[in-house]
Amino acid sequence: MATINQIENTEKTDINVRAKNLIKDTKILNITRLAKMLVDLYGQDEPFKKVGKYEGKEIELYLKELDGYITFILTTDRNNFNCHAEKAIDPVARIFINVKEEKILTVISSIIRSKSNIFGLAKLLKYIIPGKAKIKGSYSAAIRLVRCLMIGKHEMYKMSK
């Protein structure tokens, strides 16, 4: 009788673990789709033109609380921008986001809504200095990716003021 209960408990635990993993994977996929959609709709062409020698290179974004990866492939054409929810094969830079799960979207949206200029990049310091975000590898490549993601110069933000 004890072995039957143990098997049932193991199956319930396995289902719970799989359900939690599915929820985390779904959240990561939604963030990935949101990033691609925002760049497609509101992205600026100028930061993509400045990608330079990093064209075709992978940059990995690791979300610690969700234990998931988003890989961005740099390109000089905004229309060819691509990202996918998986670990990068050979990343030139890694960006780690180390905040609670509830704050992940707040941090990412704050970065995305910034303008792609010196002041927008200075806003990144409020995440880098306290350790909410870390960059390993090429800082230049990571900054070029972040500038490509920033949509704060779009007319939509000018109309709202």
Side-chain angles (χ1 to χ4, degrees):
M1 210 52 160
T3 56
I4 294 173
N5 287 338
Q6 187 176 7
I7 291 172
E8 288 176 1
N9 288 339
T10 306
E11 287 176 358
K12 288 179 184 176
T13 305
D14 187 43
I15 289 171
N16 289 340
V17 169
R18 288 191 350 223
K20 287 180 183 178
N21 288 340
L22 181 63
I23 290 170
K24 286 182 178 185
D25 289 346
T26 303
K27 288 178 181 180
I28 293 168
L29 280 170
N30 284 337
I31 292 170
T32 305
R33 286 185 189 127
L34 178 65
K36 181 157 178 46
M37 188 178 2
L38 287 173
V39 169
D40 284 345
L41 294 174
Y42 305 114
Q44 304 294 309
D45 288 328
E46 30 187 276
F48 285 95
K49 292 177 183 172
K50 296 179 182 178
V51 167
K53 67 180 182 179
Y54 296 106
E55 183 175 11
K57 303 288 184 181
E58 294 178 324
I59 298 182
E60 182 178 271
L61 176 69
Y62 177 66
L63 305 170
K64 185 177 180 184
E65 276 295 309
L66 295 176
D67 191 30
Y69 298 89
I70 300 173
T71 301
F72 297 92
I73 300 170
L74 290 176
T75 179
T76 54
D77 183 14
R78 181 175 59 90
N79 297 323
N80 293 335
F81 177 76
N82 195 10
C83 57
H84 49 287
E86 62 184 30
K87 190 168 173 61
I89 297 168
D90 185 27
V92 70
R94 289 186 169 103
I95 303 170
F96 298 90
I97 304 291
N98 187 20
V99 295
K100 293 182 180 178
E101 189 174 339
E102 307 84 47
K103 301 279 185 181
I104 290 174
L105 278 178
T106 306
V107 169
I108 292 174
S109 69
S110 173
I111 293 169
I112 288 175
R113 287 183 288 127
S114 300
K115 290 185 178 181
S116 176
N117 57 23
I118 288 291
F119 299 112
L121 292 175
K123 287 174 82 176
L124 289 176
L125 293 176
K126 74 178 183 183
Y127 300 113
I128 293 175
I129 291 173
K132 293 178 181 179
K134 295 178 186 174
I135 300 172
K136 290 191 178 179
S138 172
Y139 279 86
S140 179
I143 288 172
R144 288 173 198 219
L145 168 70
V146 170
R147 289 190 70 195
C148 289
L149 293 175
M150 292 177 167
I151 60 172
K153 286 186 177 180
H154 193 268
E155 303 103 28
M156 160 181 68
Y157 292 105
K158 293 176 185 173
M159 290 181 192
S160 65
K161 291 180 181 180

